[in-house]
Amino acid sequence: RKEVEQDPGPFNVPEGATVAFNCTYSNSASQSFFWYRQDCRKEPKLLMSVYSSGNEDGRFTAQLNRASQYISLLIRDSKLSDSATYLCVVTRGSYIPTFGRGTSLIVHP
Amino acid sequence: EAGVAQSPRYKIIEKRQSVAFWCNPISGHATLYWYQQILGQGPKLLIQFQNNGVVDDSQLPKDRFSAERLKGVDSTLKIQPAKLEDSAVYLCASSSNRNEQFFGPGTRLTVL
């Protein structure tokens, strides 16, 4: 089993739709969790950290389920500009990060 | 604030040749990471430095890859000799607080 797994997609949704991505991790001792966004041929950038109580940033909501070992990202009211690859990141040990392979989102008019 | 700088941006070499990449992290960032990203995959951590000490290099192919971070600032990653499967984007990132990582633009390596 891979350390961090994501459905690669692509998720193809119309503008205004709500879309959710999940990411599962295998190490129950994982410490911290993040979602990064990567545009085509660009470097990854932090979208949001994921906290145990769940957190929201505008149209984006992230949740952590430690019991089932997954994190999720919900995007409401999708915009064309949300089209990108969303990377799940989990850290272990001395904050050593592992990236998932990413989930591709395409938002169409 | 200046971002993470990497050079070169592109490199084309033949297999069995050597290549080196350079990274200058954001000033004051103690943690520096090197990643390999193959097309269609997520970044794979090659090595993580805390100041000039190695935190993790478990996925670094040490028979051909080496990295150093002298004086805890700049870092270089070397491949010697290169193989076809080393074709990828090599990303450098830095962090001040073990949370948000800031990435450089990457070096796109093509091995022929």
Side-chain angles (χ1 to χ4, degrees):
Chain A
R1 183 183 174 186
K2 286 187 177 179
E3 205 168 328
V4 178
E5 295 202 67
Q6 293 184 254
D7 180 347
F11 285 66
N12 201 321
V13 303
E15 275 186 289
T18 296
V19 62
F21 311 134
N22 280 342
C23 168
T24 59
Y25 60 94
S26 59
N27 187 344
S28 59
S30 295
Q31 301 156 315
S32 48
F33 309 86
F34 308 90
W35 285 102
Y36 277 73
R37 170 191 169 132
Q38 186 172 28
D39 292 304
C40 187
R41 300 180 76 87
K42 296 286 189 181
E43 70 273 20
K45 292 184 179 178
L46 180 68
L47 178 65
M48 56 198 305
S49 302
V50 187
Y51 303 118
S52 297
S53 55
N55 47 300
E56 190 174 305
D57 182 1
R59 298 181 293 109
F60 299 84
T61 301
Q63 292 195 312
L64 167 64
N65 185 319
R66 283 193 182 271
S68 299
Q69 295 182 205
Y70 76 85
I71 65 173
S72 63
L73 177 67
L74 181 78
I75 306 175
R76 290 181 298 278
D77 189 22
S78 298
K79 312 290 185 190
L80 295 176
S81 56
D82 294 334
S83 297
T85 296
Y86 291 84
L87 297 158
C88 165
V89 183
V90 176
T91 71
R92 58 177 171 82
S94 300
Y95 296 92
I96 300 166
T98 300
F99 278 74
R101 65 174 296 176
T103 297
S104 176
L105 172 65
I106 301 169
V107 181
H108 59 81
Chain B
E1 179 181 78
V4 176
Q6 288 188 249
S7 67
R9 292 294 310 278
Y10 304 91
K11 190 74 177 179
I12 300 174
I13 62 173
E14 295 190 348
K15 60 183 179 183
R16 291 188 289 273
Q17 285 188 323
S18 301
V19 65
F21 312 127
W22 174 81
C23 174
N24 186 3
I26 293 172
S27 177
H29 281 195
T31 310
L32 185 146
Y33 313 80
W34 281 104
Y35 293 90
Q36 178 193 62
Q37 187 171 25
I38 292 172
L39 189 64
Q41 299 182 20
K44 171 187 167 185
L45 181 67
L46 295 175
I47 189 166
Q48 178 178 341
F49 292 97
Q50 181 71 16
N51 296 307
N52 59 349
V54 175
V55 174
D56 184 80
D57 63 358
S58 57
Q59 297 191 95
L60 186 74
K62 298 179 185 64
D63 57 334
R64 298 184 300 107
F65 286 63
S66 64
E68 60 181 12
R69 190 183 185 197
L70 299 176
K71 300 180 182 178
V73 183
D74 292 9
S75 178
T76 56
L77 176 70
K78 297 179 182 178
I79 307 175
Q80 180 180 6
K83 293 185 176 181
L84 296 177
E85 59 261 36
D86 297 333
S87 294
V89 176
Y90 291 84
L91 293 162
C92 178
S94 69
S95 174
S96 64
N97 56 11
R98 297 176 171 178
N99 284 324
E100 181 173 7
Q101 295 181 56
F102 294 85
F103 284 81
T107 297
R108 189 172 300 274
L109 174 67
T110 301
V111 182
L112 304 176

